[in-house]
C-alpha cells in the first residue's frame, strides 16, 4: 500500500507528562481502530467517554474519544481522536495497541496530517504555511500574521487574481481564434489588457504595502557594536532585564557573539552583543572581533555604542553593510551630561536613563521595517517571489501583445501558473517535502 493510503497516528498535543494528551488517527483504518479499542463506533462529532482496551482486552485508560468520518474532518479522511491521561505509560500502551492492529497503521511523520489536509483540499499551501507559522509564533504580531494566513486571506486574493488572469487569457485566445474576423480581436484584446494592467497595479500595491512582513517570522536583528568597555554587555542585559552577558571593567571580556530574543510591542527582535571592536594581538579576541564585524554587517540595524572616551564616536565604515547605524551615547550619568541628542540616543545602560526612549525608537523602527503590520498578507519570501513573478509576467503581456497575441497569451499562462504555485495547486511537488518537513509530528 502507498504510504499516503496508509493510516497514521501521532500525539497531537504537548510533550508528556501532561494532564490530557490527544492522539489523532487519520486514514481508512481510523474507524476500525476506534471500534477495536472502544468496542463500538461512537456517534460522529460527539465527545464520548469510553474505556480503551488493547487486543488482549486489557484496559489502557478511561478516555474521551471522538469520531470524524470523511470528508468532514481536518484531513479530509476518516479521523479518530483519543483524549487520554497524558502519562508516558498511558501513551506507550495506546501507541503499542494501535501499532498491533494492522501493518498499515503506522506512526505519522512530521507534517503528515497537514500534508494530507492540503492534498485533500482542506487547506491551500499558504494556509498550511500559516498553520506552521502559528505553531511557532513567539510574539503576538507573529501570531496575528500567521492567523491571517491560516484564515486564507492571501489564498483568497490569489485565487481571485488567478481567476481574473484566466478570464483575460480567454479573451486574448478568443481573439486569436477569431483573428480573421476583422475588428473582433481588438474588441476582445482591449478589455483583456485593461484587466491585466489593473491586476498588475493591484498586486504591486500589495507587495509595496507589506514592507518586509515575511521577515516577521524570523524577527528583526539588532547588533550592539562599539569599542571595548563602553557598556555593550550592560545594555543588552538592561534590554533583556536579566544577565545574559558578562559585565566587566576589563577590555576584551566579550569574546564571542551573544544573542537574546526580545518581544518589543509584539515585534520579535534579536539583539546581538558583539565583542569590542579594536586592534589586538590576542588571537582569541581577534576571532571575536572578526565575528563581531561579520554579525554586525548582516544585521538590520546597528547600535554603535560610545562613551566619549575613544575620541571620534562615529562607527567604522565596515561595521554595517546596508543597515542603518545609530550612534548611541552611553554612561551619561558618569559624564554628567543631559539626555539630549535625539530620542533614545543618549543613555545610561547601568542606571536606566534614556532606555525607555531607546526602546520606543526600536519599536518605531520595527514598525516601519515590517510594514503595515495588521494588514500584511505576505508571510514568506516564497510568496513575495511568486507574486513578483506574476507582476512581471503581467507587465510583459502588455509589452509583447503588439508582437503577437500568442506571446501575450503565453505570458498570462505563466502568470496564472505562478499563482497556482503560490496556492500549491500546480507544479510544487519539489517544494512540498521541504515545507511539510518543518512541521512537528502530530500536525
Amino acid at each position: 500500500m502507498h504510504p499516503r493510503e496508509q493510516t497514521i497516528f501521532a500525539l497531537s498535543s504537548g510533550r508528556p507528562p501532561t494532564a490530557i494528551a490527544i492522539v489523532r488517527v487519520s486514514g481508512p483504518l481510523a474507524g476500525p481502530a476506534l471500534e477495536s479499542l472502544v468496542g463500538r463506533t461512537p456517534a460522529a462529532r460527539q465527545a464520548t467517554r469510553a474505556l480503551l482496551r488493547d487486543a488482549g482486552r486489557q484496559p489502557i485508560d478511561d478516555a474521551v474519544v471522538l469520531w470524524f468520518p470523511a470528508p468532514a474532518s481536518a484531513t479530509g479522511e476518516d479521523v479518530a481522536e483519543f483524549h487520554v491521561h497524558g502519562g508516558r505509560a498511558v501513551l506507550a500502551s495506546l501507541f503499542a495497541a494501535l501499532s498491533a492492529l494492522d501493518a498499515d497503521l503506522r506512526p505519522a511523520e512530521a507534517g503528515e496530517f497537514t500534508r494530507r489536509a492540503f492534498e485533500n483540499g482542506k487547506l491551500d499551501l499558504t494556509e498550511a504555511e500559516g498553520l506552521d507559522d502559528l505553531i511557532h509564533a513567539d510574539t503576538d504580531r507573529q501570531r496575528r500574521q500567521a492567523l491571517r494566513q491560516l484564515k486564507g486571506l492571501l489564498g483568497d486574493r490569489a485565487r481571485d487574481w488567478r481567476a481574473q488572469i484566466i478570464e483575460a487569457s480567454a479573451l486574448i485566445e478568443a481573439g486569436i481564434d477569431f483573428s480573421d474576423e476583422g475588428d473582433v480581436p481588438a474588441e476582445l484584446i482591449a478589455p483583456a489588457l485593461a484587466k491585466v494592467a489593473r491586476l498588475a497595479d493591484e498586486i504591486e500595491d500589495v507587495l509595496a504595502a507589506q514592507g518586509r512582513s515575511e521577515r516577521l517570522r524570523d524577527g528583526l536583528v539588532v547588533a550592539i557594536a562599539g569599542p571595548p568597555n563602553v557598556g555593550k554587555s550592560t545594555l543588552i542585559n538592561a534590554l533583556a532585564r536579566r544577565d545574559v552577558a558578562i559585565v566587566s571593567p576589563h577590555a576584551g571580556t566579550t569574546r564571542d557573539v551573544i544573542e537574546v530574543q526580545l518581544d518589543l510591542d509584539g515585534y520579535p527582535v534579536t539583539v546581538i552583543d558583539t565583542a569590542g571592536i579594536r586592534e589586538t594581538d590576542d588571537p582569541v579576541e581577534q576571532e571575536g572581533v572578526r565575528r563581531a564585524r561579520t554579525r554586525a554587517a548582516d544585521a538590520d540595524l546597528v547600535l554603535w555604542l560610545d562613551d566619549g572616551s575613544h575620541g571620534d564616536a562615529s562607527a567604522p565604515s565596515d561595521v554595517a553593510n546596508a543597515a542603518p547605524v545609530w550612534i548611541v551615547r552611553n554612561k551619561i550619568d558618569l559624564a554628567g551630561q543631559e539626555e539630549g541628542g535625539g530620542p533614545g540616543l543618549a543613555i545610561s545602560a547601568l542606571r536606566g536613563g534614556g532606555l525607555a526612549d531607546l526602546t520606543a525608537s526600536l519599536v518605531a523602527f520595527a514598525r516601519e521595517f515590517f510594514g503595515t503590520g495588521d494588514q500584511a498578507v505576505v508571510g514568506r519570501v516564497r510568496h513575495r517571489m511568486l507574486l513578483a513573478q506574476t507582476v512581471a509576467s503581467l507587465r510583459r503581456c502588455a509589452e509583447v501583445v503588439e508582437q503577437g497575441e500568442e506571446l501575450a497569451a503565453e505570458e498570462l499562462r505563466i502568470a496564472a501558473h505562478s499563482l497556482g504555485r503560490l496556492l500549491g495547486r500546480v507544479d510544487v511537488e519539489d517544494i512540498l517535502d521541504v515545507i511539510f518537513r518543518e512541521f512537528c509530528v502530530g500536525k
Side-chain angles (χ1 to χ4, degrees):
M1 182 179 289
H2 192 280
R4 294 180 190 173
E5 297 174 350
Q6 294 176 327
T7 301
I8 56 175
F9 67 87
L11 175 68
S12 293
S13 55
R15 180 181 301 176
T18 58
I20 298 295
I22 300 173
V23 175
R24 179 187 295 175
V25 183
S26 179
L29 296 177
L34 184 62
E35 185 172 354
S36 175
L37 293 172
V38 175
R40 67 186 190 282
T41 300
R45 287 172 289 280
Q46 291 185 17
T48 304
R49 183 178 177 182
L51 179 64
L52 306 183
R53 296 180 183 271
D54 61 18
R57 309 315 298 160
Q58 295 299 309
I60 298 173
D61 190 25
D62 187 8
V64 171
V65 298
L66 292 103
W67 168 235
F68 302 95
S73 71
T75 63
E77 303 174 329
D78 286 346
V79 171
E81 285 188 1
F82 300 89
H83 296 232
V84 298
H85 295 96
R88 293 186 177 90
V90 173
L91 290 170
S93 296
L94 179 53
F95 292 157
L98 288 169
S99 297
L101 289 175
D102 194 287
D104 288 320
L105 184 59
R106 61 171 175 82
E109 298 176 358
E112 197 166 5
F113 285 97
T114 307
R115 179 159 185 167
R116 292 190 177 196
F118 162 74
E119 290 172 342
N120 291 323
K122 294 295 182 178
L123 299 169
D124 66 38
L125 196 52
T126 66
E127 291 167 330
E129 290 169 323
L131 175 59
D132 185 43
D133 291 345
L134 188 62
I135 293 169
H136 294 99
D138 291 322
T139 72
D140 192 55
R141 292 184 188 273
Q142 287 177 318
R143 176 191 63 80
R144 293 204 297 264
Q145 176 169 291
L147 189 58
R148 285 192 297 274
Q149 195 169 320
L150 177 59
K151 289 167 64 178
L153 295 188
L154 176 59
D156 289 345
R157 300 195 72 172
R159 275 185 287 274
D160 178 62
W161 291 330
R162 190 164 185 258
Q164 293 187 59
I165 290 172
I166 292 172
E167 290 175 5
S169 180
L171 291 173
I172 289 181
E173 298 206 17
I176 297 172
D177 293 338
F178 293 99
S179 58
D180 57 347
E181 299 292 331
D183 293 335
V184 173
E187 293 175 357
L188 294 173
I189 291 173
L193 293 180
K195 183 186 292 289
V196 166
R198 287 195 301 272
L199 279 174
D201 290 342
E202 182 177 343
I203 299 173
E204 277 189 337
D205 288 344
V206 169
L207 286 171
Q210 303 305 299
R212 299 178 178 88
S213 55
E214 69 273 13
R215 283 288 312 277
L216 191 62
R217 299 175 61 244
D218 303 317
L220 181 74
V221 178
V222 177
I224 302 176
N229 205 29
V230 294
K232 297 186 295 297
S233 297
T234 302
L235 177 56
I236 197 171
N237 287 340
L239 291 173
R241 296 185 176 88
R242 56 190 173 91
D243 291 340
V244 293
I246 299 172
V247 177
S248 167
H250 302 291
T253 301
T254 302
R255 300 297 185 94
D256 205 345
V257 176
I258 297 172
E259 298 186 7
V260 61
Q261 277 70 45
L262 303 180
D263 179 347
L264 296 183
D265 193 32
Y267 294 108
V269 178
T270 299
V271 181
I272 303 166
D273 174 22
T274 60
I277 296 178
R278 67 169 182 171
E279 298 298 325
T280 177
D281 295 328
D282 184 337
V284 177
E285 191 176 351
Q286 286 176 346
E287 176 61 16
V289 171
R290 186 195 67 79
R291 294 185 183 186
R293 289 182 181 273
T294 300
R295 201 67 173 94
D298 293 337
D300 301 307
L301 172 66
V302 176
L303 303 183
W304 181 261
L305 206 61
D306 189 82
D307 62 359
S309 63
H310 297 272
D312 185 7
S314 61
S317 58
D318 60 344
V319 165
N321 190 0
V325 179
W326 291 1
I327 305 299
V328 181
R329 184 159 41 91
N330 190 27
K331 303 183 182 180
I332 58 173
D333 53 327
L334 297 182
Q337 304 175 54
E338 298 293 330
E339 294 186 15
L345 299 182
I347 66 169
S348 170
L350 182 63
R351 305 296 181 188
L355 287 182
D357 289 339
L358 176 59
T359 300
S361 296
L362 290 173
V363 170
F365 180 85
R367 184 180 300 114
E368 181 178 357
F369 181 88
F370 289 122
T372 54
D374 287 346
Q375 303 304 316
V377 294
V378 177
R380 297 196 175 203
V381 173
R382 186 183 76 87
H383 305 163
R384 181 174 292 277
M385 290 177 59
L386 288 171
L387 289 177
Q389 290 172 16
T390 301
V391 170
S393 295
L394 293 176
R395 296 298 187 199
R396 284 195 298 269
C397 171
E399 294 169 1
V400 302
V401 69
E402 293 184 0
Q403 303 172 33
E405 290 87 352
E406 294 85 352
L407 295 176
E410 178 60 23
E411 291 297 343
L412 290 184
R413 281 193 289 270
I414 294 172
H417 188 80
S418 295
L419 290 178
R421 293 185 65 203
L422 176 69
L423 296 166
R425 295 306 174 205
V426 295
D427 190 30
V428 292
E429 193 65 30
D430 55 335
I431 67 169
L432 291 183
D433 288 338
V434 175
I435 290 176
F436 288 107
R437 192 166 56 234
E438 296 177 356
F439 280 69
C440 55
V441 173
K443 291 304 293 184

